[in-house]
Amino acid sequence: VVSTQSTGSSGINAEYGKQWYQRRVRGGTKIRDLCLDFQYTPGSRVYGYTEHELKPGGAGVPVTVHNMEEYADLCRSFCLHTGIRRQMEAFRSGFSVVLPISRMKMFVPAELQLLLCGEMSPQWSRKELLQYTEPRFGYTRESKGFLNLIQVLLEMSGTERKCFLQFATGCSSLPPGGLANLSPRLTVVKKDVEGGPDMSLPSVNTCVHYLKLPEYSSKRNTATTAPPVHSGEGIPSQLM
Protein backbone atom coordinates (compact mmCIF):
# COMPACT_ATOMS: atom_id res chain seq x y z
CA VAL A 1 0.00 0.00 0.00
CA VAL A 2 1.40 3.37 -0.97
CA SER A 3 2.53 5.90 1.59
CA THR A 4 0.88 9.30 2.05
CA GLN A 5 4.13 11.01 2.93
CA SER A 6 5.38 13.87 0.80
CA THR A 7 7.87 12.99 -1.94
CA GLY A 8 10.04 15.96 -1.18
CA SER A 9 8.00 18.91 -2.48
CA SER A 10 7.22 21.60 0.05
CA GLY A 11 4.58 24.23 0.59
CA ILE A 12 1.02 24.32 -0.67
CA ASN A 13 1.54 21.96 -3.61
CA ALA A 14 2.80 19.14 -1.38
CA GLU A 15 -0.04 19.63 1.07
CA TYR A 16 -2.62 19.83 -1.75
CA GLY A 17 -1.28 16.62 -3.22
CA LYS A 18 -1.46 14.85 0.12
CA GLN A 19 -5.03 15.99 0.70
CA TRP A 20 -6.00 14.88 -2.82
CA TYR A 21 -4.45 11.50 -2.22
CA GLN A 22 -6.21 11.04 1.09
CA ARG A 23 -9.57 11.87 -0.54
CA ARG A 24 -9.09 9.60 -3.55
CA VAL A 25 -7.40 6.60 -1.96
CA ARG A 26 -9.43 4.78 0.67
CA GLY A 27 -9.25 1.44 2.40
CA GLY A 28 -5.76 0.49 1.28
CA THR A 29 -6.39 1.04 -2.46
CA LYS A 30 -3.21 1.25 -4.51
CA ILE A 31 -2.94 4.39 -6.58
CA ARG A 32 -2.22 2.43 -9.76
CA ASP A 33 -5.64 0.76 -9.38
CA LEU A 34 -7.27 4.14 -10.05
CA CYS A 35 -5.97 3.94 -13.64
CA LEU A 36 -5.23 7.68 -13.79
CA ASP A 37 -3.02 9.39 -16.31
CA PHE A 38 -2.04 13.01 -16.93
CA GLN A 39 -5.32 13.89 -18.60
CA TYR A 40 -8.21 15.90 -17.21
CA THR A 41 -11.65 14.38 -17.80
CA PRO A 42 -14.61 16.75 -17.36
CA GLY A 43 -17.72 15.60 -15.54
CA SER A 44 -20.03 16.35 -18.48
CA ARG A 45 -19.96 16.31 -22.27
CA VAL A 46 -21.54 19.76 -22.29
CA TYR A 47 -18.02 21.26 -22.29
CA GLY A 48 -17.38 19.92 -25.78
CA TYR A 49 -14.42 17.64 -25.01
CA THR A 50 -13.87 14.35 -23.24
CA GLU A 51 -10.28 14.76 -22.07
CA HIS A 52 -7.42 17.25 -22.04
CA GLU A 53 -3.74 16.45 -21.68
CA LEU A 54 -2.30 18.22 -18.66
CA LYS A 55 1.17 18.11 -20.20
CA PRO A 56 2.60 16.96 -23.54
CA GLY A 57 2.16 13.22 -23.86
CA GLY A 58 0.11 13.13 -20.67
CA ALA A 59 -2.17 10.40 -22.00
CA GLY A 60 0.76 8.00 -21.75
CA VAL A 61 1.98 9.05 -18.30
CA PRO A 62 0.36 7.11 -15.43
CA VAL A 63 -0.18 8.78 -12.06
CA THR A 64 1.93 7.21 -9.34
CA VAL A 65 2.74 7.98 -5.74
CA HIS A 66 5.86 9.73 -7.02
CA ASN A 67 4.12 12.20 -9.34
CA MET A 68 0.66 12.56 -7.78
CA GLU A 69 1.50 16.02 -6.43
CA GLU A 70 2.41 17.20 -9.92
CA TYR A 71 -0.86 15.70 -11.21
CA ALA A 72 -2.92 17.45 -8.52
CA ASP A 73 -1.17 20.77 -9.20
CA LEU A 74 -1.73 20.52 -12.97
CA CYS A 75 -5.41 19.64 -12.46
CA ARG A 76 -5.86 22.64 -10.19
CA SER A 77 -4.07 24.95 -12.64
CA PHE A 78 -6.20 23.74 -15.56
CA CYS A 79 -9.51 24.02 -13.66
CA LEU A 80 -8.83 27.42 -12.11
CA HIS A 81 -6.49 29.13 -14.59
CA THR A 82 -5.48 27.88 -18.02
CA GLY A 83 -8.66 25.92 -18.71
CA ILE A 84 -10.97 28.88 -18.10
CA ARG A 85 -8.73 31.68 -19.41
CA ARG A 86 -10.87 32.44 -22.48
CA GLN A 87 -14.07 32.46 -20.45
CA MET A 88 -12.55 34.79 -17.87
CA GLU A 89 -11.27 37.12 -20.58
CA ALA A 90 -14.79 37.23 -22.09
CA PHE A 91 -16.26 37.96 -18.64
CA ARG A 92 -13.72 40.70 -18.05
CA SER A 93 -14.51 42.27 -21.40
CA GLY A 94 -18.27 42.18 -20.81
CA PHE A 95 -17.98 43.43 -17.24
CA SER A 96 -15.84 46.34 -18.39
CA VAL A 97 -18.69 47.53 -20.61
CA VAL A 98 -20.75 48.08 -17.44
CA LEU A 99 -17.95 49.14 -15.11
CA PRO A 100 -14.33 49.57 -16.26
CA ILE A 101 -12.04 47.21 -14.37
CA SER A 102 -9.74 50.12 -13.53
CA ARG A 103 -12.53 51.65 -11.44
CA MET A 104 -12.62 48.53 -9.27
CA LYS A 105 -9.37 49.54 -7.61
CA MET A 106 -11.31 51.75 -5.22
CA PHE A 107 -12.77 48.65 -3.55
CA VAL A 108 -11.11 46.07 -1.34
CA PRO A 109 -12.09 42.41 -1.98
CA ALA A 110 -14.51 42.31 0.96
CA GLU A 111 -16.35 45.38 -0.37
CA LEU A 112 -16.66 43.84 -3.84
CA GLN A 113 -18.05 40.64 -2.40
CA LEU A 114 -20.62 42.62 -0.46
CA LEU A 115 -21.67 44.64 -3.52
CA LEU A 116 -21.92 41.62 -5.82
CA CYS A 117 -23.19 38.94 -3.44
CA GLY A 118 -24.93 40.82 -0.64
CA GLU A 119 -24.79 39.95 3.04
CA MET A 120 -23.48 36.38 3.11
CA SER A 121 -23.85 36.16 6.90
CA PRO A 122 -27.26 37.73 7.53
CA GLN A 123 -27.40 39.94 10.60
CA TRP A 124 -30.43 41.59 12.10
CA SER A 125 -31.56 43.08 15.40
CA ARG A 126 -34.98 43.18 17.04
CA LYS A 127 -35.27 46.85 16.09
CA GLU A 128 -34.51 46.09 12.43
CA LEU A 129 -36.95 43.17 12.30
CA LEU A 130 -39.75 45.29 13.75
CA GLN A 131 -38.92 48.25 11.53
CA TYR A 132 -38.41 46.48 8.19
CA THR A 133 -40.81 43.52 8.43
CA GLU A 134 -44.42 44.30 7.53
CA PRO A 135 -47.24 42.54 9.44
CA ARG A 136 -50.52 42.65 7.49
CA PHE A 137 -53.93 41.04 6.99
CA GLY A 138 -54.55 39.75 10.49
CA TYR A 139 -51.22 40.65 12.10
CA THR A 140 -50.03 43.89 13.69
CA ARG A 141 -46.73 44.72 15.36
CA GLU A 142 -48.38 43.85 18.68
CA SER A 143 -49.77 40.47 17.59
CA LYS A 144 -48.55 37.52 19.62
CA GLY A 145 -47.97 35.37 16.55
CA PHE A 146 -45.92 38.07 14.83
CA LEU A 147 -43.83 38.78 17.95
CA ASN A 148 -43.17 35.05 18.41
CA LEU A 149 -41.77 34.94 14.89
CA ILE A 150 -39.54 37.96 15.59
CA GLN A 151 -38.11 36.23 18.66
CA VAL A 152 -37.51 33.00 16.75
CA LEU A 153 -35.65 34.90 14.02
CA LEU A 154 -33.48 36.61 16.64
CA GLU A 155 -32.49 33.27 18.16
CA MET A 156 -31.47 31.71 14.84
CA SER A 157 -27.80 31.02 14.06
CA GLY A 158 -26.19 32.46 10.93
CA THR A 159 -26.77 29.25 8.97
CA GLU A 160 -30.37 29.11 10.14
CA ARG A 161 -30.96 32.70 9.05
CA LYS A 162 -29.62 31.94 5.57
CA CYS A 163 -31.98 28.98 5.30
CA PHE A 164 -34.95 31.04 6.49
CA LEU A 165 -34.18 33.71 3.89
CA GLN A 166 -33.92 31.06 1.20
CA PHE A 167 -37.36 29.77 2.17
CA ALA A 168 -39.03 33.16 2.55
CA THR A 169 -37.39 35.17 -0.26
CA GLY A 170 -35.78 32.66 -2.59
CA CYS A 171 -32.30 33.98 -1.80
CA SER A 172 -30.10 32.99 1.13
CA SER A 173 -28.42 36.39 1.45
CA LEU A 174 -29.51 39.97 2.09
CA PRO A 175 -28.64 42.92 -0.16
CA PRO A 176 -26.01 45.45 0.98
CA GLY A 177 -27.56 47.31 3.88
CA GLY A 178 -29.44 44.27 5.16
CA LEU A 179 -33.17 44.15 5.80
CA ALA A 180 -33.49 47.89 5.21
CA ASN A 181 -32.72 47.37 1.53
CA LEU A 182 -34.66 44.14 0.97
CA SER A 183 -37.15 44.92 -1.79
CA PRO A 184 -39.97 44.19 -1.54
CA ARG A 185 -39.87 44.04 2.23
CA LEU A 186 -40.65 40.81 4.03
CA THR A 187 -44.39 40.76 4.67
CA VAL A 188 -45.98 38.45 7.25
CA VAL A 189 -49.71 37.76 6.97
CA LYS A 190 -51.98 35.61 9.09
CA LYS A 191 -52.89 32.25 7.61
CA ASP A 192 -56.30 31.03 8.73
CA VAL A 193 -56.70 27.27 8.57
CA GLU A 194 -59.24 24.67 9.56
CA GLY A 195 -58.38 22.43 12.49
CA GLY A 196 -56.37 25.04 14.37
CA PRO A 197 -53.10 26.85 13.57
CA ASP A 198 -50.86 24.26 15.26
CA MET A 199 -51.96 21.69 12.66
CA SER A 200 -50.87 23.83 9.70
CA LEU A 201 -47.64 24.88 8.03
CA PRO A 202 -46.45 28.26 6.73
CA SER A 203 -46.34 28.97 3.02
CA VAL A 204 -44.69 31.69 0.96
CA ASN A 205 -44.83 33.69 -2.26
CA THR A 206 -41.10 34.15 -2.68
CA CYS A 207 -41.30 36.61 -5.59
CA VAL A 208 -42.96 39.20 -3.35
CA HIS A 209 -41.38 38.03 -0.03
CA TYR A 210 -44.83 37.14 1.32
CA LEU A 211 -44.82 34.79 4.33
CA LYS A 212 -48.21 33.31 5.25
CA LEU A 213 -47.90 32.28 8.89
CA PRO A 214 -50.55 30.62 11.09
CA GLU A 215 -50.89 32.22 14.51
CA TYR A 216 -49.36 29.41 16.53
CA SER A 217 -50.29 28.99 20.18
CA SER A 218 -46.72 29.41 21.45
CA LYS A 219 -43.24 30.52 20.46
CA ARG A 220 -42.14 26.89 20.66
CA ASN A 221 -44.65 25.89 18.01
CA THR A 222 -43.53 28.82 15.89
CA ALA A 223 -39.91 27.68 16.20
CA THR A 224 -40.69 24.12 15.14
CA THR A 225 -42.38 25.37 11.99
CA ALA A 226 -39.84 28.04 11.00
CA PRO A 227 -36.62 26.02 11.37
CA PRO A 228 -33.43 26.34 9.37
CA VAL A 229 -32.79 22.88 7.96
CA HIS A 230 -33.86 22.52 4.35
CA SER A 231 -35.31 19.52 2.63
CA GLY A 232 -34.73 18.79 -1.01
CA GLU A 233 -37.88 20.73 -1.87
CA GLY A 234 -36.46 24.01 -0.57
CA ILE A 235 -38.89 23.99 2.37
CA PRO A 236 -37.57 23.68 5.93
CA SER A 237 -37.63 19.97 6.78
CA GLN A 238 -39.52 20.37 10.02
CA LEU A 239 -42.33 21.98 8.07
CA MET A 240 -42.86 18.73 6.25
PDB file of all heavy atoms in Angstrom, residues 38-65:
ATOM      1  N   PHE A  38      -2.109  11.545 -16.958  1.00  0.00           N
ATOM      2  CA  PHE A  38      -2.038  13.007 -16.927  1.00  0.00           C
ATOM      3  C   PHE A  38      -2.972  13.630 -17.951  1.00  0.00           C
ATOM      4  O   PHE A  38      -2.575  14.388 -18.826  1.00  0.00           O
ATOM      5  CB  PHE A  38      -0.590  13.463 -17.121  1.00  0.00           C
ATOM      6  CG  PHE A  38       0.189  13.505 -15.832  1.00  0.00           C
ATOM      7  CD1 PHE A  38       0.520  12.326 -15.184  1.00  0.00           C
ATOM      8  CD2 PHE A  38       0.565  14.710 -15.252  1.00  0.00           C
ATOM      9  CE1 PHE A  38       1.223  12.343 -13.993  1.00  0.00           C
ATOM     10  CE2 PHE A  38       1.269  14.733 -14.062  1.00  0.00           C
ATOM     11  CZ  PHE A  38       1.592  13.548 -13.421  1.00  0.00           C
ATOM     12  N   GLN A  39      -4.250  13.284 -17.827  1.00  0.00           N
ATOM     13  CA  GLN A  39      -5.320  13.894 -18.597  1.00  0.00           C
ATOM     14  C   GLN A  39      -6.411  14.337 -17.634  1.00  0.00           C
ATOM     15  O   GLN A  39      -6.657  13.682 -16.615  1.00  0.00           O
ATOM     16  CB  GLN A  39      -5.930  12.908 -19.599  1.00  0.00           C
ATOM     17  CG  GLN A  39      -5.031  12.509 -20.728  1.00  0.00           C
ATOM     18  CD  GLN A  39      -5.791  11.677 -21.758  1.00  0.00           C
ATOM     19  OE1 GLN A  39      -6.009  12.109 -22.877  1.00  0.00           O
ATOM     20  NE2 GLN A  39      -6.187  10.479 -21.376  1.00  0.00           N
ATOM     21  N   TYR A  40      -7.056  15.438 -17.993  1.00  0.00           N
ATOM     22  CA  TYR A  40      -8.213  15.895 -17.211  1.00  0.00           C
ATOM     23  C   TYR A  40      -9.473  15.465 -17.940  1.00  0.00           C
ATOM     24  O   TYR A  40      -9.624  15.715 -19.140  1.00  0.00           O
ATOM     25  CB  TYR A  40      -8.205  17.411 -17.037  1.00  0.00           C
ATOM     26  CG  TYR A  40      -9.455  17.930 -16.352  1.00  0.00           C
ATOM     27  CD1 TYR A  40      -9.584  17.826 -14.964  1.00  0.00           C
ATOM     28  CD2 TYR A  40     -10.496  18.482 -17.078  1.00  0.00           C
ATOM     29  CE1 TYR A  40     -10.728  18.275 -14.322  1.00  0.00           C
ATOM     30  CE2 TYR A  40     -11.644  18.932 -16.447  1.00  0.00           C
ATOM     31  CZ  TYR A  40     -11.756  18.829 -15.072  1.00  0.00           C
ATOM     32  OH  TYR A  40     -12.893  19.268 -14.438  1.00  0.00           O
ATOM     33  N   THR A  41     -10.386  14.830 -17.222  1.00  0.00           N
ATOM     34  CA  THR A  41     -11.648  14.377 -17.796  1.00  0.00           C
ATOM     35  C   THR A  41     -12.792  15.153 -17.166  1.00  0.00           C
ATOM     36  O   THR A  41     -13.025  15.038 -15.957  1.00  0.00           O
ATOM     37  CB  THR A  41     -11.858  12.872 -17.540  1.00  0.00           C
ATOM     38  OG1 THR A  41     -10.755  12.149 -18.078  1.00  0.00           O
ATOM     39  CG2 THR A  41     -13.144  12.391 -18.211  1.00  0.00           C
ATOM     40  N   PRO A  42     -13.516  15.958 -17.940  1.00  0.00           N
ATOM     41  CA  PRO A  42     -14.608  16.750 -17.365  1.00  0.00           C
ATOM     42  C   PRO A  42     -15.764  15.855 -16.947  1.00  0.00           C
ATOM     43  O   PRO A  42     -15.917  14.728 -17.429  1.00  0.00           O
ATOM     44  CB  PRO A  42     -15.005  17.688 -18.512  1.00  0.00           C
ATOM     45  CG  PRO A  42     -14.630  16.934 -19.741  1.00  0.00           C
ATOM     46  CD  PRO A  42     -13.392  16.167 -19.391  1.00  0.00           C
ATOM     47  N   GLY A  43     -16.601  16.380 -16.053  1.00  0.00           N
ATOM     48  CA  GLY A  43     -17.716  15.602 -15.542  1.00  0.00           C
ATOM     49  C   GLY A  43     -18.924  15.573 -16.450  1.00  0.00           C
ATOM     50  O   GLY A  43     -19.907  14.906 -16.149  1.00  0.00           O
ATOM     51  N   SER A  44     -18.891  16.305 -17.568  1.00  0.00           N
ATOM     52  CA  SER A  44     -20.028  16.351 -18.476  1.00  0.00           C
ATOM     53  C   SER A  44     -19.539  16.590 -19.898  1.00  0.00           C
ATOM     54  O   SER A  44     -18.510  17.226 -20.122  1.00  0.00           O
ATOM     55  CB  SER A  44     -20.995  17.474 -18.066  1.00  0.00           C
ATOM     56  OG  SER A  44     -22.007  17.664 -19.040  1.00  0.00           O
ATOM     57  N   ARG A  45     -20.292  16.093 -20.864  1.00  0.00           N
ATOM     58  CA  ARG A  45     -19.959  16.311 -22.274  1.00  0.00           C
ATOM     59  C   ARG A  45     -20.372  17.697 -22.758  1.00  0.00           C
ATOM     60  O   ARG A  45     -20.087  18.079 -23.887  1.00  0.00           O
ATOM     61  CB  ARG A  45     -20.636  15.245 -23.140  1.00  0.00           C
ATOM     62  CG  ARG A  45     -20.110  13.827 -22.884  1.00  0.00           C
ATOM     63  CD  ARG A  45     -20.784  12.811 -23.797  1.00  0.00           C
ATOM     64  NE  ARG A  45     -20.289  11.471 -23.560  1.00  0.00           N
ATOM     65  CZ  ARG A  45     -19.191  10.960 -24.125  1.00  0.00           C
ATOM     66  NH1 ARG A  45     -18.492  11.710 -24.961  1.00  0.00           N
ATOM     67  NH2 ARG A  45     -18.817   9.739 -23.853  1.00  0.00           N
ATOM     68  N   VAL A  46     -21.071  18.441 -21.893  1.00  0.00           N
ATOM     69  CA  VAL A  46     -21.538  19.764 -22.288  1.00  0.00           C
ATOM     70  C   VAL A  46     -20.370  20.698 -22.599  1.00  0.00           C
ATOM     71  O   VAL A  46     -20.528  21.694 -23.323  1.00  0.00           O
ATOM     72  CB  VAL A  46     -22.432  20.371 -21.175  1.00  0.00           C
ATOM     73  CG1 VAL A  46     -21.599  20.755 -19.964  1.00  0.00           C
ATOM     74  CG2 VAL A  46     -23.209  21.577 -21.691  1.00  0.00           C
ATOM     75  N   TYR A  47     -19.180  20.394 -22.062  1.00  0.00           N
ATOM     76  CA  TYR A  47     -18.020  21.258 -22.287  1.00  0.00           C
ATOM     77  C   TYR A  47     -17.416  21.088 -23.670  1.00  0.00           C
ATOM     78  O   TYR A  47     -16.540  21.860 -24.069  1.00  0.00           O
ATOM     79  CB  TYR A  47     -16.963  20.979 -21.216  1.00  0.00           C
ATOM     80  CG  TYR A  47     -17.460  21.239 -19.818  1.00  0.00           C
ATOM     81  CD1 TYR A  47     -17.750  20.180 -18.958  1.00  0.00           C
ATOM     82  CD2 TYR A  47     -17.678  22.536 -19.359  1.00  0.00           C
ATOM     83  CE1 TYR A  47     -18.227  20.413 -17.677  1.00  0.00           C
ATOM     84  CE2 TYR A  47     -18.166  22.773 -18.080  1.00  0.00           C
ATOM     85  CZ  TYR A  47     -18.429  21.706 -17.252  1.00  0.00           C
ATOM     86  OH  TYR A  47     -18.913  21.934 -15.991  1.00  0.00           O
ATOM     87  N   GLY A  48     -17.845  20.072 -24.408  1.00  0.00           N
ATOM     88  CA  GLY A  48     -17.385  19.917 -25.778  1.00  0.00           C
ATOM     89  C   GLY A  48     -16.102  19.122 -25.932  1.00  0.00           C
ATOM     90  O   GLY A  48     -15.552  19.056 -27.034  1.00  0.00           O
ATOM     91  N   TYR A  49     -15.594  18.507 -24.895  1.00  0.00           N
ATOM     92  CA  TYR A  49     -14.421  17.644 -25.009  1.00  0.00           C
ATOM     93  C   TYR A  49     -14.497  16.567 -23.945  1.00  0.00           C
ATOM     94  O   TYR A  49     -15.207  16.700 -22.944  1.00  0.00           O
ATOM     95  CB  TYR A  49     -13.127  18.453 -24.871  1.00  0.00           C
ATOM     96  CG  TYR A  49     -12.900  19.040 -23.490  1.00  0.00           C
ATOM     97  CD1 TYR A  49     -12.088  18.385 -22.562  1.00  0.00           C
ATOM     98  CD2 TYR A  49     -13.484  20.243 -23.114  1.00  0.00           C
ATOM     99  CE1 TYR A  49     -11.878  18.923 -21.301  1.00  0.00           C
ATOM    100  CE2 TYR A  49     -13.282  20.779 -21.855  1.00  0.00           C
ATOM    101  CZ  TYR A  49     -12.476  20.113 -20.953  1.00  0.00           C
ATOM    102  OH  TYR A  49     -12.275  20.635 -19.696  1.00  0.00           O
ATOM    103  N   THR A  50     -13.804  15.469 -24.178  1.00  0.00           N
ATOM    104  CA  THR A  50     -13.868  14.346 -23.237  1.00  0.00           C
ATOM    105  C   THR A  50     -12.613  14.218 -22.399  1.00  0.00           C
ATOM    106  O   THR A  50     -12.650  13.633 -21.315  1.00  0.00           O
ATOM    107  CB  THR A  50     -14.100  13.031 -23.993  1.00  0.00           C
ATOM    108  OG1 THR A  50     -13.073  12.860 -24.997  1.00  0.00           O
ATOM    109  CG2 THR A  50     -15.478  13.043 -24.670  1.00  0.00           C
ATOM    110  N   GLU A  51     -11.492  14.747 -22.879  1.00  0.00           N
ATOM    111  CA  GLU A  51     -10.278  14.756 -22.074  1.00  0.00           C
ATOM    112  C   GLU A  51      -9.327  15.839 -22.573  1.00  0.00           C
ATOM    113  O   GLU A  51      -9.430  16.299 -23.709  1.00  0.00           O
ATOM    114  CB  GLU A  51      -9.570  13.401 -22.067  1.00  0.00           C
ATOM    115  CG  GLU A  51      -9.118  12.903 -23.425  1.00  0.00           C
ATOM    116  CD  GLU A  51     -10.188  12.112 -24.169  1.00  0.00           C
ATOM    117  OE1 GLU A  51     -10.963  11.397 -23.509  1.00  0.00           O
ATOM    118  OE2 GLU A  51     -10.249  12.240 -25.410  1.00  0.00           O
ATOM    119  N   HIS A  52      -8.414  16.233 -21.696  1.00  0.00           N
ATOM    120  CA  HIS A  52      -7.423  17.246 -22.039  1.00  0.00           C
ATOM    121  C   HIS A  52      -6.099  16.854 -21.400  1.00  0.00           C
ATOM    122  O   HIS A  52      -6.035  16.572 -20.196  1.00  0.00           O
ATOM    123  CB  HIS A  52      -7.854  18.619 -21.512  1.00  0.00           C
ATOM    124  CG  HIS A  52      -6.804  19.678 -21.666  1.00  0.00           C
ATOM    125  ND1 HIS A  52      -6.582  20.337 -22.850  1.00  0.00           N
ATOM    126  CD2 HIS A  52      -5.895  20.172 -20.767  1.00  0.00           C
ATOM    127  CE1 HIS A  52      -5.591  21.202 -22.686  1.00  0.00           C
ATOM    128  NE2 HIS A  52      -5.160  21.122 -21.445  1.00  0.00           N
ATOM    129  N   GLU A  53      -5.047  16.805 -22.214  1.00  0.00           N
ATOM    130  CA  GLU A  53      -3.735  16.451 -21.683  1.00  0.00           C
ATOM    131  C   GLU A  53      -3.195  17.578 -20.812  1.00  0.00           C
ATOM    132  O   GLU A  53      -3.146  18.734 -21.225  1.00  0.00           O
ATOM    133  CB  GLU A  53      -2.756  16.145 -22.815  1.00  0.00           C
ATOM    134  CG  GLU A  53      -3.026  14.812 -23.503  1.00  0.00           C
ATOM    135  CD  GLU A  53      -1.861  14.382 -24.388  1.00  0.00           C
ATOM    136  OE1 GLU A  53      -1.079  15.260 -24.803  1.00  0.00           O
ATOM    137  OE2 GLU A  53      -1.740  13.171 -24.636  1.00  0.00           O
ATOM    138  N   LEU A  54      -2.809  17.230 -19.604  1.00  0.00           N
ATOM    139  CA  LEU A  54      -2.299  18.220 -18.657  1.00  0.00           C
ATOM    140  C   LEU A  54      -0.861  18.614 -18.948  1.00  0.00           C
ATOM    141  O   LEU A  54      -0.396  19.654 -18.475  1.00  0.00           O
ATOM    142  CB  LEU A  54      -2.416  17.680 -17.229  1.00  0.00           C
ATOM    143  CG  LEU A  54      -3.860  17.400 -16.766  1.00  0.00           C
ATOM    144  CD1 LEU A  54      -3.856  16.670 -15.431  1.00  0.00           C
ATOM    145  CD2 LEU A  54      -4.653  18.693 -16.665  1.00  0.00           C
ATOM    146  N   LYS A  55      -0.172  17.786 -19.724  1.00  0.00           N
ATOM    147  CA  LYS A  55       1.172  18.114 -20.196  1.00  0.00           C
ATOM    148  C   LYS A  55       1.414  17.305 -21.452  1.00  0.00           C
ATOM    149  O   LYS A  55       0.700  16.307 -21.694  1.00  0.00           O
ATOM    150  CB  LYS A  55       2.217  17.823 -19.129  1.00  0.00           C
ATOM    151  CG  LYS A  55       2.402  16.366 -18.757  1.00  0.00           C
ATOM    152  CD  LYS A  55       3.495  16.218 -17.692  1.00  0.00           C
ATOM    153  CE  LYS A  55       3.769  14.781 -17.336  1.00  0.00           C
ATOM    154  NZ  LYS A  55       4.862  14.665 -16.324  1.00  0.00           N
ATOM    155  N   PRO A  56       2.351  17.692 -22.291  1.00  0.00           N
ATOM    156  CA  PRO A  56       2.600  16.960 -23.541  1.00  0.00           C
ATOM    157  C   PRO A  56       2.811  15.473 -23.282  1.00  0.00           C
ATOM    158  O   PRO A  56       3.604  15.075 -22.431  1.00  0.00           O
ATOM    159  CB  PRO A  56       3.862  17.622 -24.088  1.00  0.00           C
ATOM    160  CG  PRO A  56       3.827  19.005 -23.529  1.00  0.00           C
ATOM    161  CD  PRO A  56       3.251  18.863 -22.159  1.00  0.00           C
ATOM    162  N   GLY A  57       2.056  14.658 -24.031  1.00  0.00           N
ATOM    163  CA  GLY A  57       2.163  13.219 -23.864  1.00  0.00           C
ATOM    164  C   GLY A  57       1.528  12.702 -22.600  1.00  0.00           C
ATOM    165  O   GLY A  57       1.759  11.550 -22.200  1.00  0.00           O
ATOM    166  N   GLY A  58       0.691  13.507 -21.953  1.00  0.00           N
ATOM    167  CA  GLY A  58       0.113  13.135 -20.669  1.00  0.00           C
ATOM    168  C   GLY A  58      -0.745  11.886 -20.716  1.00  0.00           C
ATOM    169  O   GLY A  58      -0.873  11.189 -19.700  1.00  0.00           O
ATOM    170  N   ALA A  59      -1.325  11.579 -21.887  1.00  0.00           N
ATOM    171  CA  ALA A  59      -2.172  10.396 -22.003  1.00  0.00           C
ATOM    172  C   ALA A  59      -1.387   9.113 -21.746  1.00  0.00           C
ATOM    173  O   ALA A  59      -1.965   8.090 -21.370  1.00  0.00           O
ATOM    174  CB  ALA A  59      -2.824  10.348 -23.376  1.00  0.00           C
ATOM    175  N   GLY A  60      -0.072   9.180 -21.943  1.00  0.00           N
ATOM    176  CA  GLY A  60       0.757   7.997 -21.747  1.00  0.00           C
ATOM    177  C   GLY A  60       1.537   8.002 -20.453  1.00  0.00           C
ATOM    178  O   GLY A  60       2.421   7.146 -20.250  1.00  0.00           O
ATOM    179  N   VAL A  61       1.248   8.958 -19.558  1.00  0.00           N
ATOM    180  CA  VAL A  61       1.978   9.049 -18.295  1.00  0.00           C
ATOM    181  C   VAL A  61       1.046   8.658 -17.146  1.00  0.00           C
ATOM    182  O   VAL A  61       0.120   9.399 -16.811  1.00  0.00           O
ATOM    183  CB  VAL A  61       2.507  10.476 -18.059  1.00  0.00           C
ATOM    184  CG1 VAL A  61       3.280  10.543 -16.733  1.00  0.00           C
ATOM    185  CG2 VAL A  61       3.387  10.925 -19.219  1.00  0.00           C
ATOM    186  N   PRO A  62       1.228   7.512 -16.537  1.00  0.00           N
ATOM    187  CA  PRO A  62       0.361   7.107 -15.426  1.00  0.00           C
ATOM    188  C   PRO A  62       0.667   7.912 -14.165  1.00  0.00           C
ATOM    189  O   PRO A  62       1.792   8.356 -13.949  1.00  0.00           O
ATOM    190  CB  PRO A  62       0.701   5.630 -15.235  1.00  0.00           C
ATOM    191  CG  PRO A  62       2.109   5.505 -15.723  1.00  0.00           C
ATOM    192  CD  PRO A  62       2.242   6.485 -16.858  1.00  0.00           C
ATOM    193  N   VAL A  63      -0.362   8.109 -13.341  1.00  0.00           N
ATOM    194  CA  VAL A  63      -0.183   8.779 -12.065  1.00  0.00           C
ATOM    195  C   VAL A  63       0.288   7.756 -11.036  1.00  0.00           C
ATOM    196  O   VAL A  63      -0.324   6.695 -10.870  1.00  0.00           O
ATOM    197  CB  VAL A  63      -1.500   9.431 -11.591  1.00  0.00           C
ATOM    198  CG1 VAL A  63      -1.332  10.059 -10.211  1.00  0.00           C
ATOM    199  CG2 VAL A  63      -1.965  10.477 -12.592  1.00  0.00           C
ATOM    200  N   THR A  64       1.376   8.078 -10.363  1.00  0.00           N
ATOM    201  CA  THR A  64       1.934   7.209  -9.337  1.00  0.00           C
ATOM    202  C   THR A  64       2.102   7.997  -8.052  1.00  0.00           C
ATOM    203  O   THR A  64       1.889   9.215  -8.013  1.00  0.00           O
ATOM    204  CB  THR A  64       3.302   6.654  -9.773  1.00  0.00           C
ATOM    205  OG1 THR A  64       4.254   7.733  -9.784  1.00  0.00           O
ATOM    206  CG2 THR A  64       3.228   6.027 -11.158  1.00  0.00           C
ATOM    207  N   VAL A  65       2.507   7.304  -7.010  1.00  0.00           N
ATOM    208  CA  VAL A  65       2.743   7.982  -5.743  1.00  0.00           C
ATOM    209  C   VAL A  65       3.869   9.001  -5.867  1.00  0.00           C
ATOM    210  O   VAL A  65       3.950   9.954  -5.096  1.00  0.00           O
ATOM    211  CB  VAL A  65       3.051   6.954  -4.634  1.00  0.00           C
ATOM    212  CG1 VAL A  65       4.372   6.254  -4.882  1.00  0.00           C
ATOM    213  CG2 VAL A  65       3.031   7.613  -3.255  1.00  0.00           C
TER     214      VAL A  65
END
